[in-house]
């Protein structure tokens, strides 16, 4: 069995020109069973969205640690666990803050990379994008999920939540690959039909020059991207 080695992890974020502060939240947890990367976008107008996102990240990390064996885990089981941990966190924060659910809303993108094997797990609530970039080829792994209108999305505060928790399991090939997570602030850099990165974003992925995108003063929304470059070792 091959083991995966983290070759490079890059996180870059920028505040949108229409924002007072960046409401995106990034977390990274490492354990004996693997590494977990999470990226959330606090919904505009959610008073405690960023704080709730941080707590949800921790709750999901604890939730995944309770799974005894990922090699036999089922997507549906993980979906229910994630939904339960998220809803419990939202409920406790509601009691603590005396607020409504929408004040705690955020989206969620997550990648879990088990220590052994050639696979990854993705977890996705709402908009944003998770994709796989390898050998000049781009493959979307998890698409944005929108509501009735294109500018609406589902969040961690939705009820019921479980139908909107998208958990997927992927085998990785070839030996080197890059997994990308990006919030919806980067949507304008994708092709609207194929969802492939446009020339500017492709250049940034290849070179690591995120400043050419995230320093763009025309980006009105907060924008964050996480690139995880994986290589296999025997």
């Amino acid at each position: 069995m091959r083991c995966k080695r983290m070759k490079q992890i890059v996180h870059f974020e920028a505040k949108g020109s229409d924002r007072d502060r960046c409401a995106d939240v990034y977390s990274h947890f490492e354990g004996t069973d693997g590494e977990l990367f999470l990226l959330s976008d606090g919904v505009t107008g959610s008073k405690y969205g960023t704080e709730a996102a941080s707590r949800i990240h921790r709750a999901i990390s604890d939730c995944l640690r309770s799974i005894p064996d990922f090699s036999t885990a089922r997507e549906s089981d993980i979906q229910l666990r994630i939904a339960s941990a998220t809803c419990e966190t939202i409920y406790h924060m509601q009691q603590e803050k005396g607020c409504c659910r929408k004040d705690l809303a955020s989206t969620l993108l997550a990648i879990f990379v088990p220590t052994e094997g050639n696979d990854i797990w993705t977890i996705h609530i709402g908009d944003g994008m998770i994709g796989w970039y390898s050998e000049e080829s781009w493959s979307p792994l998890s698409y944005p999920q929108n509501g009735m209108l294109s500018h609406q999305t589902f969040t961690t505060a939705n009820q019921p939540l479980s139908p909107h928790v998208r958990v997927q399991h992927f085998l990785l090939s070839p030996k080197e690959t890059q997994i990308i997570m990006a919030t919806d602030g980067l949507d304008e850099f994708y092709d609207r039909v194929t969802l492939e990165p446009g020339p500017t974003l492709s250049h940034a992925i290849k070179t690591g020059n995120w400043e050419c995108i995230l320093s763009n003063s025309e980006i009105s929304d907060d924008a964050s991207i996480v690139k995880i470059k994986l290589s296999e070792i025997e």
Side-chain angles (χ1 to χ4, degrees), residues 32-106:
T32 57
D33 53 346
E35 294 190 59
L36 177 64
F37 305 86
L38 305 104
L39 184 62
S40 289
D41 178 4
V43 173
T44 302
S46 60
K47 189 174 181 180
Y48 304 107
T50 55
E51 182 181 349
S54 293
R55 293 200 195 183
I56 288 170
H57 288 187
R58 171 60 67 179
I60 290 175
S61 175
D62 293 341
C63 169
L64 295 182
R65 289 178 192 275
S66 70
I67 296 175
D69 185 1
F70 268 91
S71 66
T72 59
R74 295 182 300 175
E75 294 176 358
S76 58
D77 178 46
I78 295 177
Q79 177 192 37
L80 293 175
R81 287 172 180 257
I82 296 296
S84 177
T86 301
C87 289
E88 184 176 350
T89 302
I90 292 286
Y91 173 77
H92 286 305
M93 284 198 69
Q94 273 189 281
Q95 304 305 305
E96 175 187 327
K97 303 292 187 183
C99 64
C100 60
R101 294 180 68 86
K102 69 179 182 179
D103 287 329
L104 305 169
S106 65

Side-chain angles (χ1 to χ4, degrees), residues 122-144:
T122 65
I123 304 164
H124 197 170
I125 302 173
D127 55 26
M129 172 76 77
I130 303 176
W132 168 27
Y133 196 88
S134 181
E135 295 183 349
E136 308 299 320
S137 175
W138 169 261
S139 299
L141 299 180
S142 191
Y143 292 86

Side-chain angles (χ1 to χ4, degrees), residues 18-233:
D18 292 346
R19 304 289 188 263
D20 295 327
R21 60 183 177 83
C22 183
D24 292 348
V25 179
Y26 168 66
S27 301
H28 174 207
F29 301 96
E30 186 172 0
T32 57
D33 53 346
E35 294 190 59
L36 177 64
F37 305 86
L38 305 104
L39 184 62
S40 289
D41 178 4
V43 173
T44 302
S46 60
K47 189 174 181 180
Y48 304 107
T50 55
E51 182 181 349
S54 293
R55 293 200 195 183
I56 288 170
H57 288 187
R58 171 60 67 179
I60 290 175
S61 175
D62 293 341
C63 169
L64 295 182
R65 289 178 192 275
S66 70
I67 296 175
D69 185 1
F70 268 91
S71 66
T72 59
R74 295 182 300 175
E75 294 176 358
S76 58
D77 178 46
I78 295 177
Q79 177 192 37
L80 293 175
R81 287 172 180 257
I82 296 296
S84 177
T86 301
C87 289
E88 184 176 350
T89 302
I90 292 286
Y91 173 77
H92 286 305
M93 284 198 69
Q94 273 189 281
Q95 304 305 305
E96 175 187 327
K97 303 292 187 183
C99 64
C100 60
R101 294 180 68 86
K102 69 179 182 179
D103 287 329
L104 305 169
S106 65
T107 60
L108 175 70
L109 301 157
I111 297 170
F112 178 69
V113 185
T115 301
E116 296 185 347
N118 300 312
D119 59 329
I120 65 166
W121 293 80
T122 65
I123 304 164
H124 197 170
I125 302 173
D127 55 26
M129 172 76 77
I130 303 176
W132 168 27
Y133 196 88
S134 181
E135 295 183 349
E136 308 299 320
S137 175
W138 169 261
S139 299
L141 299 180
S142 191
Y143 292 86
Q145 185 182 34
N146 297 105
M148 295 294 290
L149 301 174
S150 61
H151 66 276
Q152 293 180 334
T153 190
F154 298 98
T155 74
T156 54
N158 272 97
Q159 287 184 303
L161 181 61
S162 183
H164 306 300
V165 179
R166 292 172 285 150
V167 176
Q168 297 181 86
H169 185 215
F170 298 95
L171 294 178
L172 293 180
S173 178
K175 290 188 175 182
E176 281 201 354
T177 191
Q178 298 181 80
I179 309 299
I180 306 294
M181 293 193 296
T183 60
D184 69 326
L186 289 171
D187 281 358
E188 64 187 89
F189 295 98
Y190 293 99
D191 183 284
R192 296 294 182 181
V193 177
T194 66
L195 293 181
E196 292 186 0
T200 303
L201 183 54
S202 293
H203 177 75
I205 292 172
K206 293 175 185 177
T207 64
N209 181 19
W210 303 110
E211 288 85 352
C212 68
I213 291 181
L214 298 183
S215 62
N216 188 334
S217 60
E218 296 180 1
I219 296 179
S220 59
D221 195 5
D222 299 330
S224 295
I225 193 163
V226 177
K227 181 180 78 171
I228 308 162
K229 186 175 183 180
L230 308 175
S231 62
E232 296 176 353
I233 55 176

